[in-house]
Amino acid sequence: MTGRLEALLGIDVPVVLGPFGGLSSVELTATVSRLGGLGSYGLYGYAPDRVARTAAELRAATDRPFALNVWLATGDEVRPGQVDLTGPRAAVDAFFAELGLAQPDEPAAFLPDVDEQLAAVLDARPAVLSVVYGVPAPWVVQTAHERGTCVVGTATTVDEARALADAGVDAVVASGAEAAGHRVSFLHDPADALVGTFALVPQVVDAVRVPVLAAGGVADRRGVAAARALGAHGVVVGTAFLRTRQSAASEAYRAAIAASPAHGTVLTRAMSGRLARGVPNRAVRTIEASGAIAPFPAQNWLTGRFRAPAAGRDEAGLLSLWAGQSAALATWDDAGAVFAELVAGLRDG
């Protein structure tokens, strides 16, 4: 098992940075890659030209392999004009007023075309294309392989892992219920697919022949050693790196991670319209109490209009504070220190 993932992805150690949709930074991604792991950059909401610019910035920052991450379309995404946003707008109106902002008009589109995003990623030829929320189409896998790019899919159940492996992905991330951010289930309702990492990883390892990475609850050497004992070829770590100064998280965000105990995160649809794990704050509580949550991606677009300026003011009460159940173990403020701690777990395992 040792070395299989490293040889596949061209990395020195099987430590992968979790891709933060909307919170990725070139600095953190490049840092993890330069240290010998696989830095990942989340491209949620990026138009093709921005994808190309980001890939160029990453290549200028590191000559080591990195991954670009894309959210696949599930088919249930709503488009502008399809849903009545009166209730959801009213639920957050006070936040706009607090920030001195007017409620925004609906855009022509909530998200860029996914196929155009994927084409831009494939043109950029990263070492790895990672995807969430589904199985990549045959043309994506074939083109990636023709261009020397590995494809990594993300599963929250064994069935999803099998579907990804059958589609020809090169590796599968087994994402346990402890993980930060969105529950990226695609064959099941996310609320019914809350399998913990300790149960999910060995079952996925037994079910597929491709390398498996463990995600969810891994924040220090103990988590890495446990993941390896479960049969994982590597680990994906998000919250511990998000806590560091190299991430794009604000000071208030990082403080919220540091203050969150294992029972301090919740699963909510309040901020994006899809189920995600994070630290509950004023925005989450207010929106949930209103009962007015638009479907994805309308809700994510709406809250995003006040989240960005709130981040500029370091107002944690109005942010999406995505964090996993291992947040209390995320005690380092430097990505290099986190990486060294995780590598120590490879020796212990």
Side-chain angles (χ1 to χ4, degrees):
M1 181 175 73
T2 302
R4 183 178 175 192
L5 186 72
E6 297 91 311
L8 174 68
L9 304 183
I11 58 180
D12 297 330
V13 290
V15 173
V16 177
L17 171 67
F20 310 125
L23 279 170
S24 289
S25 76
V26 169
E27 181 182 6
L28 180 56
T29 302
T31 296
V32 173
S33 289
R34 285 197 300 265
L35 289 169
L38 183 71
S40 302
Y41 194 104
L43 299 172
Y44 175 84
Y46 280 33
D49 59 341
R50 191 177 178 190
V51 171
R53 289 198 305 273
T54 301
E57 290 171 5
L58 287 166
R59 284 210 166 84
T62 179
D63 60 359
R64 300 303 305 271
F66 59 82
L68 297 178
N69 178 264
V70 175
W71 290 31
L72 300 180
T74 64
D76 64 353
E77 295 86 355
V78 298
R79 296 188 296 275
Q82 285 188 322
V83 294
D84 183 1
L85 294 181
T86 303
R89 284 181 181 276
V92 300
D93 191 57
F95 302 150
F96 283 98
E98 178 181 333
L99 295 167
L101 303 171
Q103 285 265 6
D105 295 329
E106 287 189 50
F110 291 131
L111 288 171
D113 181 82
V114 175
D115 284 348
E116 292 179 0
Q117 276 189 309
L118 288 165
V121 171
L122 294 170
D123 285 344
R125 299 178 185 246
V128 177
L129 161 63
S130 66
V131 299
V132 293
Y133 279 116
V135 176
W139 72 268
V140 174
V141 176
Q142 179 179 344
T143 305
H145 289 165
E146 288 173 349
R147 298 181 181 183
T149 296
C150 291
V151 182
V152 177
T154 309
T156 64
T157 66
V158 173
D159 289 345
E160 291 177 350
R162 287 197 181 103
L164 288 162
D166 289 345
V169 303
D170 300 287
V172 171
V173 176
S175 183
E178 302 93 327
H182 286 82
R183 300 303 304 149
V184 293
S185 306
F186 58 91
L187 293 182
H188 312 273
D189 186 313
D192 297 328
L194 299 176
V195 186
T197 304
F198 201 83
L200 180 62
V201 169
Q203 293 184 68
V204 171
V205 169
D206 289 348
V208 301
R209 294 183 177 276
V210 297
V212 175
L213 297 101
V218 180
D220 61 16
R221 67 183 69 192
R222 294 169 294 181
V224 174
R228 299 283 275 189
L230 294 172
H233 298 78
V235 296
V236 178
V237 179
T239 304
F241 281 117
L242 194 59
R243 168 84 162 76
T244 69
R245 63 178 180 272
Q246 289 90 349
S247 85
S250 67
E251 289 291 341
Y253 193 153
R254 292 197 285 270
I257 292 174
S260 178
H263 65 281
T265 62
V266 297
L267 289 166
T268 181
R269 299 181 189 272
M271 301 305 282
S272 73
R274 281 183 174 170
L275 198 66
R277 181 177 297 284
V279 179
N281 58 4
R282 181 158 55 99
V284 168
R285 295 187 184 100
T286 299
I287 294 169
E288 288 188 339
S290 76
I293 301 175
F296 177 85
Q299 183 73 9
N300 203 48
W301 166 79
L302 179 61
T303 65
R305 304 290 73 74
F306 66 75
R307 284 187 279 117
R313 300 187 188 188
D314 217 19
E315 175 49 71
L318 301 182
L319 303 179
S320 297
L321 299 174
W322 305 138
Q325 290 182 330
S326 63
L329 302 177
T331 58
W332 299 271
D333 66 358
D334 177 72
V338 174
F339 195 85
E341 169 68 15
L342 297 171
V343 171
L346 295 172
R347 295 192 296 268
D348 294 346

